[in-house]
Amino acid sequence: MSKKILITGGAGFIGSHVVRLFVNQYPDYTIINLDALTYAGNLENLKDVESKSNYRFVKADILKTEELERVFAEYAITDIIHLAAESHVDRSIVSPLDFVYTNIIGTVNLLNIARKQWALDYSKHLFYHISTDEVFGSLGETGFFTETTAYDPRSPYSASKASSDHFVRAYHETYRLQTIVSNCSNNYGPNHFPEKLVPLFIHNIIEKKPLPVYGDGLYTRDWLYVKDHARAIDQIFHKGQPGGTYNIGGFNEWRNIDLVKLLCKLMDEKLGRQSGESEELITYVKDRPGHDRRYAIDATKIKQELGWEPSVTFEEGLSETIDWYLTNKEWLQHVTSGAYQHYYQSMYVNR
Ligand code: NAD
Ligand code: DAU
């Protein structure tokens, strides 16, 4: 059977890389990108695939049952890869309810449709839910998150993602819907909206604006190139164990301040600026409330079971990412005009 895969959130950062990979790699599948085009969704991310015959875009909201039913009826969807979400921790601190609606209720809405539409034979279909390592909480100096680490979410964002993960598992146990959940570490790469650390700082370095480092800057994240995440999603979708979960990470921990200094160094070189010039933009600002100290993924299971591992080093991935932003200034200009200015003012000015 030729698959008709609904990818939700396909106009966002990670979703657009997943859509591109599936459209190009699987010409026999039909890829239906469903996205509400919130501030984070941008069809410019997919210009290179929009005319492909196996690609469709539907503007729809996962909170609207009738819109989802229409898409299922029109395309006879066989599988779902669910990425649509509110994804920024700082926004979740300002507006937690938006995260409850989209991340929890939106996911349950999709699960309900899948449960109803696939009831004839669940074994032929897969509901693959894309989640985050933040559901596991915060680590001390040592240790890693594994697939059996207990959930301990600490921000409204991670609480909403944890809740959605639980619902996905519950639909597997209760209704035998075939589901998989993967929990990934911090992604970076092209098409990343400049509210997150890496693209925000690249943008600010270009503009010679302050680089707002939260707290003492010693918070640690495990960084993975977005195209490697998309490759992992492909492997898990095709070869993962239904009912299972997979952790995806880069084995690539960086303290924020070290990452920022590396970014400054690479950008000074690429922009022909004096060595050390961009570092002078570093400004320590008020910390994020409830800021998780350290995330680190143990990605042994996916490596052993599915043979996946990251394909690029951090320096290579970061260098490619900077090059992408420097050659796509128009993309950056488009997404940082209008509503973005208001967001930036309220989040950073007088922080
Ligand atoms: P993003 O914010 O860039 O994109 C989210 C997309 O979802 C946007 O295109 C947006 O328009 C769409 N969307 C939002 N609400 C919607 C709704 N109600 N109906 C339909 N579409 C809607 O997010 P991202 O960084 O690409 O993250 C994608 C997924 O991966 C999320 O589920 C996130 O939790 C997860 N994740 C992200 C990271 C990361 O580092 N960015 C790491 C691990 C997991
Ligand atoms: O771990 C996976 C998660 O990674 C995803 O689930 C989230 O969707 C994604 O946004 C990301 O969450 P983080 O909170 O880790 O990412 P962010 O880029 O917002 O911040 C990375 C680190 O940098 C974090 O310790 C906070 C810090 N930071 C962030 C911003 C935006 C700053 O110091 N200054 C900033 O301006």
Side-chain angles (χ1 to χ4, degrees), residues 8-15 34-42 60-63 82-88 102 130-133 157 161 183-188 191-193 195-196 229:
T8 70
F13 167 47
I14 302 171
L34 183 152
D35 199 296
L37 299 182
T38 67
Y39 79 93
N42 184 352
D61 187 333
I62 57 167
L63 284 163
H82 176 38
L83 296 107
E86 287 295 336
S87 67
H88 192 34
T102 298
I130 306 303
S131 192
T132 169
D133 60 356
Y157 164 69
K161 290 298 289 186
N183 298 87
C184 189
S185 63
N186 284 62
N187 286 214
Y188 69 95
N191 309 96
H192 206 181
F193 191 80
E195 62 185 354
K196 312 279 167 61
H229 188 189

Side-chain angles (χ1 to χ4, degrees), residues 151-164:
Y151 275 33
D152 181 23
R154 293 153 38 95
S155 74
Y157 164 69
S158 53
S160 69
K161 290 298 289 186
S163 173
S164 64

Side-chain angles (χ1 to χ4, degrees), residues 82 107 111 126-133 135-136 147 151 161-170 172 178-184 229 233 236 240-248 301:
H82 176 38
T107 300
L111 285 165
L126 179 67
F127 188 109
Y128 177 12
H129 178 61
I130 306 303
S131 192
T132 169
D133 60 356
V135 299
F136 299 120
E147 284 78 3
Y151 275 33
K161 290 298 289 186
S163 173
S164 64
D165 293 11
H166 289 323
F167 270 104
V168 173
R169 281 183 212 208
H172 174 72
Q178 298 223 70
T179 63
I180 296 183
V181 177
S182 59
N183 298 87
C184 189
H229 188 189
I233 289 172
I236 292 170
Q241 194 58 41
T245 71
Y246 293 86
N247 279 2
I248 309 168
K301 178 180 169 184

Side-chain angles (χ1 to χ4, degrees), residues 47-291:
K47 273 200 167 135
D48 55 323
V49 296
E50 68 188 6
S51 59
K52 297 265 169 127
S53 60
N54 64 335
Y55 172 72
R56 307 278 185 285
F57 171 71
V58 182
K59 184 172 185 306
D61 187 333
I62 57 167
L63 284 163
K64 299 209 170 121
T65 311
E66 25 355 304
E67 293 184 0
L68 297 182
E69 278 174 344
R70 216 174 307 131
V71 173
F72 262 79
E74 187 173 348
Y75 294 104
I77 301 297
T78 58
D79 303 86
I80 297 175
I81 304 178
H82 176 38
L83 296 107
E86 287 295 336
S87 67
H88 192 34
V89 173
D90 291 328
R91 288 184 191 254
S92 83
I93 293 167
V94 178
S95 312
L97 262 183
D98 292 344
F99 288 68
V100 172
Y101 289 129
T102 298
N103 298 358
I104 306 177
I105 301 175
T107 300
V108 177
N109 214 19
L110 258 187
L111 285 165
N112 278 339
I113 306 271
R115 183 187 154 214
K116 193 166 125 193
Q117 299 285 338
W118 296 341
L120 265 188
D121 186 354
Y122 287 138
S123 71
K124 293 204 167 96
H125 307 282
L126 179 67
F127 188 109
Y128 177 12
H129 178 61
I130 306 303
S131 192
T132 169
D133 60 356
E134 300 202 8
V135 299
F136 299 120
S138 181
L139 291 164
E141 297 277 302
T142 57
F144 294 91
F145 298 134
T146 71
E147 284 78 3
T148 56
T149 301
Y151 275 33
D152 181 23
R154 293 153 38 95
S155 74
Y157 164 69
S158 53
S160 69
K161 290 298 289 186
S163 173
S164 64
D165 293 11
H166 289 323
F167 270 104
V168 173
R169 281 183 212 208
Y171 272 60
H172 174 72
E173 295 300 332
T174 309
Y175 306 113
R176 307 318 295 168
L177 193 68
Q178 298 223 70
T179 63
I180 296 183
V181 177
S182 59
N183 298 87
C184 189
S185 63
N186 284 62
N187 286 214
Y188 69 95
N191 309 96
H192 206 181
F193 191 80
E195 62 185 354
K196 312 279 167 61
L197 180 76
V198 171
L200 175 71
F201 281 34
I202 290 175
H203 178 234
N204 285 12
I205 291 171
I206 294 172
E207 302 276 313
K208 298 191 178 179
K209 283 166 72 172
L211 305 177
V213 173
Y214 295 168
D216 61 7
L218 301 181
Y219 295 84
T220 300
R221 298 291 184 264
D222 173 1
W223 293 93
L224 179 68
Y225 194 44
V226 64
K227 293 181 190 179
D228 278 332
H229 188 189
R231 284 177 46 246
I233 289 172
D234 177 20
Q235 296 284 309
I236 292 170
F237 177 81
H238 287 100
K239 300 194 291 187
Q241 194 58 41
T245 71
Y246 293 86
N247 279 2
I248 309 168
F251 285 114
N252 179 41
E253 288 182 54
W254 284 78
R255 296 188 313 180
N256 291 343
I257 191 64
D258 298 331
L259 186 165
V260 171
K261 286 183 178 168
L262 173 63
L263 202 55
C264 289
K265 177 174 160 284
L266 290 172
M267 289 207 57
D268 281 345
E269 286 163 12
K270 287 179 193 285
L271 290 165
R273 291 184 186 163
Q274 276 202 329
S275 163
E277 196 177 325
S278 297
E279 266 196 34
E280 285 174 19
L281 299 169
I282 292 174
T283 312
Y284 287 90
V285 298
K286 198 167 133 229
D287 212 348
R288 171 187 281 175
H291 198 168

